[in-house]
Amino acid sequence: MQKFDGVDFMEVDSLFSEEEIAVRDTIRGFVSERVMPVIEKHNREGTFPAHLIPEMGELGVYGANIQGYGCPGLNNVAYGLIMQELERGDSGLRSFVSVQGALCMYPIYAYGSDEQKNKYLPEMAHGKVIGCFGLTEADFGSNPSGMLTTARKDGGSYVLNGSKMWITNGGVAHIAIVWAKLDGRIRGFIVERGTPGYSTRDIHGKFSLRASVTSELAFQDCRIPAENLLPGVEGLKGPLGCLNQARYGIAWGAIGSAMACYHEALEYAKARIQFDRPIAGFQMVQEKLAWMIREITKGQLLALHAGRLKDLGKLSAQHISLAKMNNVQIALQTARLAREILGASGITDEYQCGRHMCNLESVYTYEGTHDIHTLIIGEAVTGLPAYK
Ligand code: TGC
Ligand code: FAD
């Protein structure tokens, strides 16, 4: 495998601070040295590289943009660069970190009580407590407001009933952030593994995100202490507020996958000889490489602009939808074009583009499908919601 030194066609690096570059290069080195040698094996075997969890804790990647509680408190651009570099390794690795930071630490940080923050966040920042986020149900994916999972107050407890589907980290998580209806209103609850009535079942047979655990969560008269309710939010805006954080990270992460595929395709095309010359010298191959670098450069600038707006408190949910849908779509197309340039070699896991391509099919669908983000932007520009 060729050494990865990044992809920067238009001096985008000149727009980052020294600290941002330093953070990026630390994670880039970690991915090259610790992830790349093992990722194809984990992908083939359908396992998550769990031995990397404490190492990533030491690097400070969990909740990296959260202030206090043992978190690094980085700005949102440095945080985005972490997501980019992790997903350059594998979308499953970035998913693990997104779920931990944006979908579990963030709701505790934003909606939790002081006791909840002090109890969970420092341990989660170090990867000693792992979380998962249960919003989707088997019959309520794009439309989570229809969820059937309920919570009922009973003395000093809440009793949860229902199930959640397609939950990243479900089978390995120590705690689940579960969204359920209490008196008809969506509320967030912290459910600890081992609580009677709470069980998980891993989903197998995936051709995408194979190096990631995806599970079903089941709650059968699952009784949790009343203090495990997240007090700070009510309604669908609670989980959607978390999704804003995670979707923002995906906009960066997808660029990492695209950079890996472009880099692999370029190196392959320069080395592969057909008709007595490198295929990189043929116009149709160059057209594909030019498309990739053009779209990657635009995606880098879009992610960076989103990050700067987020640091200024000016990034809206609609901006995030635009960045997520654009960058995932161009990353998926980049992976497909890289696979094409590699010819038959592109269908084996000796090369990365096929793995990224399959992973990106999930990324295209989760955290709001491409079409749901299209409708969010459609509503933003017309004022007319077209979901229902
Ligand atoms: P709607 O009536 O539009 O809104 C309900 C309430 O929510 C507010 N809101 C938001 N708040 C914060 N952030 C946002 N992005 C928000 N969007 C809407 C809204 O203002 C309203 O507030 P209030 O105070 O009036 O109650 O809701 P709707 O039911 O019509 O749905 C809109 C829609 C379709 C856009 C939304 O349901 C949606 O985004 N659906 C997609 C579901 C989704 O993304 N699921 C992801 C599950 S988690 C996951 O995939 C993790 S993958 C993990 C990994 O990385 O591995
Ligand atoms: P559906 O909502 O059934 O959509 C099917 C198709 O219909 C899509 O093409 C969609 O765009 C289209 N569609 C739906 N509604 C409309 C409409 N109004 N207009 C036009 N088209 C529409 N969820 C969690 O809660 N936590 C997790 O950790 C998590 N991790 C995941 C990990 C993986 C690997 C995957 C694949 C999914 C994960 N999800 C998770 C679930 C994910 O968020 C959902 O798959 C996603 O929201 C889409 O829901 P769905 O799969 O039920 O598809």
Side-chain angles (χ1 to χ4, degrees):
M1 189 180 294
Q2 299 281 338
K3 185 170 182 293
F4 182 80
D5 287 323
V7 172
D8 184 10
F9 185 71
M10 248 180 115
E11 300 199 24
V12 177
D13 276 7
S14 67
L15 303 173
F16 298 125
S17 70
E18 278 181 24
E19 189 194 6
E20 289 160 356
I21 296 271
V23 169
R24 182 199 66 189
D25 289 350
T26 301
I27 306 302
R28 182 170 291 173
F30 164 76
V31 169
S32 294
E33 286 160 29
R34 304 290 296 145
V35 179
M36 298 318 291
V38 301
I39 194 62
E40 295 299 354
K41 179 173 175 291
H42 281 282
N43 190 66
R44 192 179 283 190
E45 293 173 0
T47 53
F48 179 74
H51 64 286
L52 299 176
I53 294 173
E55 288 179 47
M56 290 195 286
E58 279 167 33
L59 287 170
V61 305
Y62 306 127
N65 56 351
I66 289 178
Q67 301 286 340
Y69 304 97
C71 302
L74 297 176
N75 73 16
N76 285 293
V77 171
Y79 168 81
L81 286 165
I82 293 175
M83 299 297 131
Q84 172 188 290
E85 294 306 315
L86 292 174
E87 198 147 357
R88 196 268 294 183
D90 191 80
S91 300
L93 199 67
R94 197 271 310 137
S95 271
F96 182 90
V97 174
S98 284
V99 168
Q100 177 79 351
L103 296 182
C104 295
M105 295 172 71
Y106 175 80
I108 294 172
Y109 177 75
Y111 314 137
S113 64
D114 285 343
E115 292 73 25
Q116 290 167 345
K117 291 179 204 183
N118 289 322
K119 178 174 177 189
Y120 295 110
L121 292 179
E123 297 263 89
M124 295 183 84
H126 291 101
K128 291 182 177 149
V129 169
I130 303 303
C132 68
F133 177 88
L135 177 65
T136 304
E137 300 184 357
D139 293 331
F140 297 93
S142 297
N143 178 26
S145 72
M147 68 173 65
L148 299 177
T149 300
T150 57
R152 173 172 57 82
K153 186 90 195 285
D154 185 30
S157 318
Y158 289 102
V159 180
L160 270 55
N161 277 288
S163 61
K164 298 287 171 181
M165 191 65 181
W166 305 113
I167 307 305
T168 301
N169 298 350
V172 295
H174 303 99
I175 63 166
I177 303 294
V178 180
W179 300 94
K181 282 184 179 161
L182 175 68
D183 301 325
R185 276 298 263 169
I186 294 174
R187 302 298 301 261
F189 299 88
I190 303 172
V191 181
E192 297 195 355
R193 172 167 290 280
T195 306
Y198 171 40
S199 59
T200 65
R201 183 183 64 84
D202 290 348
I203 297 168
H204 296 290
K206 294 180 296 175
F207 60 74
S208 176
L209 281 181
R210 291 184 50 76
S212 170
V213 175
T214 315
S215 318
E216 183 176 1
L217 315 182
F219 307 93
Q220 205 169 19
D221 292 328
C222 173
R223 185 176 289 274
I224 59 169
E227 61 263 25
N228 284 20
L229 169 77
L230 294 173
V233 76
E234 276 188 39
L236 191 59
K237 65 175 181 287
L240 291 179
C242 307
L243 293 179
N244 292 338
Q245 308 301 316
R247 291 166 176 174
Y248 166 76
I250 290 174
W252 282 91
I255 293 299
S257 283
M259 284 160 68
C261 294
Y262 166 79
H263 181 255
E264 182 170 76
L266 178 62
E267 296 305 317
Y268 187 91
K270 287 193 288 192
R272 175 72 177 166
I273 307 294
Q274 288 294 291
F275 301 97
D276 304 321
R277 57 191 176 108
I279 61 168
F282 296 122
Q283 289 182 1
M284 293 180 82
V285 173
Q286 289 189 3
E287 192 275 337
K288 293 180 180 66
L289 291 168
W291 186 92
M292 292 180 191
I293 194 64
R294 187 186 84 200
E295 294 302 326
I296 289 170
T297 303
K298 283 152 64 181
Q300 287 170 330
L301 292 169
L302 184 56
L304 175 58
H305 182 56
R308 297 284 181 235
L309 284 181
K310 189 161 163 57
D311 281 336
L312 292 171
K314 291 183 175 176
L315 188 70
S316 72
Q318 294 79 13
H319 296 150
I320 295 171
S321 285
L322 191 144
K324 189 266 185 186
M325 69 179 287
N326 181 79
N327 287 5
V328 175
Q329 184 181 42
I330 69 98
L332 182 54
Q333 184 59 10
T334 297
R336 288 173 178 154
L337 289 173
R339 211 292 306 151
E340 198 177 331
I341 289 174
L342 266 67
S345 300
I347 70 149
T348 72
D349 65 8
E350 190 182 337
Y351 294 91
Q352 319 170 52
C353 56
R355 175 170 52 81
H356 281 292
M357 184 174 72
C358 291
N359 283 343
L360 286 162
E361 290 290 348
S362 283
V363 183
Y364 192 82
T365 283
Y366 70 33
E367 302 268 10
T369 67
H370 184 81
D371 287 352
I372 288 294
H373 289 296
T374 302
L375 297 179
I376 290 171
I377 294 167
E379 180 180 1
V381 298
T382 65
L384 302 169
Y387 317 100
K388 298 169 190 165

